[in-house]
Amino acid sequence: MLNRLRQRTAEEGGFTLIELLVVILIIGILAAIAIPAFLSQKSKANDASAKTTVGTLQTAMETYSTENSGSYLGATLAKLEAIEPTLKDHTSVVPVVPKAAAEEYEVEAESVSTKDKYKLLDKAGEITRKCSPKEHGGCPAAETW
């Protein structure tokens, strides 16, 4: 009978508690490395979407100017959304047209998740890009992009 009991325990294979704890520890370390990297990539994607929206606003503004004898005066977000319907989606980026004069305009897009604002100012053909705030890592150190 004792011989049978020894055979049965010898046939049963498995992991020891130490081995299971080591595997759980390794998985925890990998998760601690991967999760912040993933969150960083997500905020970078949201900021890239805001930059793209500013570019789309710029293109729509130039189209508006072409249709209005070279003047940006009177351009509003609603008019730009009529020119470019993709600007109507405000789920991840909020576009704004703070200024539209005869020979200059300013467009802006704010990322909903990171709250970074990307601005483009065109003064008589000279384009200036700015970004604020820099706390989420999306804005470069020089505040321009």
Side-chain angles (χ1 to χ4, degrees), residues 53 57 77 80 94-99 106-110 118:
T53 300
L57 283 166
L77 182 60
L80 297 182
V94 178
V96 180
V97 181
K99 181 180 186 181
E106 182 178 358
V107 291
E108 177 181 309
E110 179 181 357
Y118 294 89

Side-chain angles (χ1 to χ4, degrees), residues 55-78:
T56 305
L57 283 166
Q58 179 185 15
T59 303
M61 189 64 86
E62 295 300 331
T63 303
Y64 177 86
S65 169
T66 303
E67 294 172 354
N68 290 284
S69 305
S71 175
Y72 305 109
L73 193 62
T76 63
L77 182 60

Side-chain angles (χ1 to χ4, degrees), residues 117-129:
K117 291 183 181 181
Y118 294 89
K119 299 177 184 183
L120 184 138
L121 176 64
D122 185 339
K123 268 189 173 178
E126 185 179 328
I127 296 176
T128 307
R129 293 178 173 89

Side-chain angles (χ1 to χ4, degrees), residues 5-22:
L5 189 58
R6 285 184 184 160
Q7 281 180 340
R8 188 177 288 170
T9 58
E11 292 173 4
E12 291 181 18
F15 296 107
T16 65
L17 183 60
I18 300 291
E19 291 171 329
L20 290 174
L21 288 174
V22 167

